[in-house]
Amino acid sequence: MTALIIFLILALLLITGMPVSIALGLTVFTFLFGFTEIPMDSIALKLFTGIEKFEIMAIPFFILAGNFLTHGGVARRMIRFATSMVGHWYGGMGMAAVLACALFAAISGSSPATVMAVGSILIPAMVKQGYPAQFGVGAISTAGGLGILIPPSIVMVMYSVATTGMVVTGPNGETVMSASIGSMFIAGVIPGILLASMLGATTYWRARSNDYPRMPKASWGERWQAFRESVWGLMLIVIIMGGIYGGFFTPTEAAAVSAVYAFVIAVWVYKDITLRDVPRVLLSSAAMSAMLLYIITNAVMFAFILTSEQIPQSLSAWIVELGFGKIGFLLIVNVMLLMIGMVMEPSAIVLIMAPILYPVAVKLGVDPVHFGIMMVVNMEIGLCTPPVGLNLYVGSAISRLGLTEVSKAAMPWLLTALTFLMLVTYIPEISLFLPRLLGM
């Protein structure tokens, strides 16, 4: 009954069109005042202690690094490198778009930023080369979702933060540790590469079926030149991943290093940004960080209420009693997250649903890292599904096509992503191979 009251309040507030962050906060305070005797002092304390976690500092730093690189022309150089490598294949510019999205995803951590950076350059170029605008916007809007699957990923940080500190027991009564940011990052590598390959194969098949144009094959000299121009941006991948797994710094420290590195190469190496432009980049990064941190603050309070009322534990016991088992539970979670993803923003979904679903998944024997990657893939698909798919809106703005047209154009790649979701859900080794290999 308690769970029904909490979610009914939240649903009513969301129906009014209220922002998710404010709806979460009001739900907490309404429930506190009306249905509990929890002292407000404890809520005030939780409000501050919930966001003082060291890991949360990674979010503004990754946002800042991504903004420096987005404004600094790194995407343009990566696109040139990707085009030189695969542009001569069927649908070469479309495949270059997928490859460029994968490369830019590895330094930005944001899907909409990836779509904007790659799409604003490649969609007009593809139309000029004779491709239909629908082909370009469909491929890029979907491939841009790689921004939250290929590390570093802000959504992975959110999942780790949302589940950190939760004491949960496995199917045999053992205590299970939550997924660290580092383990989530390394777990996203193989799924990210696999999905990029599947989206590239879909692009190739669509282009070959419709006989879309191909570009002249680049010489090895041209490829080397394109690589040399983009290498400073690509080095950020090595710095982040190599630094974390080489033991040089934590994921949060890696985020800070990436922000400083992105600033240096944007201002002094590539010289695409002047010192006068830096305050503008800092301001836009601060605005985005403040929005996410406000969501986190309210989501932390929401998770506190759920935990204090024993709702995740009750839900876990109920699902186990129903006898769904691991396979049935994961299927239900996928359907539920896909539906919620159509109307809500990924970070908010993870912060709300992870504390609820995570204990149930662990109780049924699902690995925390595997479950996290599955949630991230669901969030990625949600970014490409109407009516609130943010990638679709970005693609629509770039291509000047209507949202309905963009949604139809993305359908072949979206079906590919759904197929991939089933693979990740029921083949845990796709996510867990690298973490286990590295002893994580």
Side-chain angles (χ1 to χ4, degrees):
M1 186 63 183
T2 302
L4 182 63
I5 294 171
I6 292 174
F7 287 105
L8 184 61
I9 296 170
L10 180 61
L12 289 173
L13 292 174
L14 289 173
I15 288 171
T16 66
M18 185 179 294
V20 173
S21 55
I22 298 176
L24 285 173
L26 282 179
T27 298
V28 170
F29 286 111
T30 303
F31 183 77
L32 282 174
F33 281 117
F35 302 94
T36 73
E37 297 181 358
I38 298 175
M40 293 305 296
D41 292 351
S42 62
I43 292 298
L45 181 63
K46 193 67 182 175
L47 187 66
F48 288 97
T49 58
I51 60 169
E52 68 178 6
K53 297 175 183 176
F54 183 63
E55 295 86 354
I56 292 179
M57 291 177 63
I59 295 171
F61 283 127
F62 278 133
I63 289 173
L64 181 58
N67 278 346
F68 272 125
L69 296 174
T70 303
H71 289 83
V74 175
R76 185 177 69 253
R77 293 174 174 87
M78 287 188 171
I79 287 169
R80 185 181 172 192
F81 171 61
T83 304
S84 70
M85 297 301 295
V86 298
H88 59 285
W89 294 355
Y90 279 103
M93 290 194 75
M95 296 189 68
V98 174
L99 179 56
C101 284
L103 292 173
F104 195 77
I107 61 175
S108 74
S110 168
S111 287
T114 302
V115 175
M116 178 60 74
V118 176
S120 60
I121 298 171
L122 267 182
I123 290 176
M126 291 175 73
V127 172
K128 190 175 180 181
Q129 285 281 336
Y131 291 88
Q134 291 86 345
F135 178 78
V137 75
I140 294 173
S141 296
T142 317
L146 293 166
I148 63 172
L149 179 59
I150 296 178
S153 163
I154 294 171
V155 174
M156 288 182 184
V157 176
M158 295 283 195
Y159 173 79
S160 183
V161 167
T163 56
T164 297
M166 296 186 70
V167 180
V168 292
T169 55
N172 300 316
E174 73 281 12
T175 301
V176 179
M177 299 293 291
S178 59
S180 66
I181 296 175
S183 60
M184 286 297 296
F185 279 7
I186 197 66
V189 172
I190 290 180
I193 293 173
L194 178 58
L195 179 56
S197 302
M198 291 175 66
L199 294 174
T202 302
T203 306
Y204 178 87
W205 169 71
R206 292 276 297 169
R208 185 158 190 169
S209 301
N210 294 283
D211 196 26
Y212 290 150
R214 303 162 68 178
M215 298 178 65
K217 186 174 182 179
S219 66
W220 285 107
E222 291 171 327
R223 291 176 178 178
W224 173 247
Q225 179 63 29
F227 173 74
R228 285 180 59 188
E229 290 181 1
S230 63
V231 71
W232 289 104
L234 296 172
M235 277 297 293
L236 187 58
I237 306 170
V238 178
I239 291 172
I240 293 173
M241 303 302 288
I244 292 172
Y245 305 113
F248 296 105
F249 34 69
T250 65
T252 304
E253 292 165 346
V257 170
S258 70
V260 174
Y261 177 83
F263 165 73
V264 170
I265 65 168
V267 175
W268 284 301
V269 178
Y270 288 142
K271 298 180 180 179
D272 292 317
I273 294 179
T274 65
L275 289 175
R276 286 184 178 181
D277 298 322
V278 172
R280 176 169 52 87
V281 177
L282 291 173
L283 188 62
S284 65
S285 301
M288 189 180 299
S289 300
M291 177 189 70
L292 289 176
L293 290 174
Y294 186 61
I295 293 174
I296 291 172
T297 302
N298 286 291
V300 164
M301 291 196 299
F302 187 74
F304 171 70
I305 289 296
L306 294 178
T307 305
S308 66
E309 296 297 321
Q310 299 286 305
I311 291 172
Q313 294 85 339
S314 301
L315 181 64
S316 174
W318 179 63
I319 290 178
V320 170
E321 287 174 7
L322 288 176
F324 276 122
K326 186 190 299 186
I327 294 175
F329 169 73
L330 292 178
L331 181 62
I332 292 170
V333 168
N334 278 332
V335 173
M336 181 169 59
L337 291 178
L338 288 173
M339 292 176 65
I340 299 174
M342 292 180 180
V343 295
M344 283 180 65
E345 194 268 335
S347 299
I349 298 173
V350 170
L351 288 168
I352 294 171
M353 301 305 298
I356 299 170
L357 299 174
Y358 170 76
V360 185
V362 172
K363 185 69 177 177
L364 292 172
V366 181
D367 187 274
V369 174
H370 169 221
F371 189 69
I373 295 297
M374 190 189 87
M375 284 196 75
V376 170
V377 175
N378 272 287
M379 299 304 96
E380 178 179 354
I381 294 173
L383 286 166
C384 309
T385 51
V388 192
L390 191 54
N391 285 8
L392 298 179
Y393 282 97
V394 176
S396 176
I398 295 170
S399 64
R400 298 184 181 178
L401 297 174
L403 183 63
T404 303
E405 201 168 1
V406 173
S407 301
K408 289 179 180 177
M411 193 57 64
W413 291 271
L414 191 57
L415 292 174
T416 302
L418 287 168
T419 302
F420 173 75
L421 174 61
M422 290 297 100
L423 293 175
V424 164
T425 300
Y426 295 113
I427 307 178
E429 284 304 309
I430 295 175
S431 306
L432 300 179
F433 174 75
L434 268 185
R436 285 176 178 167
L437 184 67
L438 297 175
M440 302 180 71

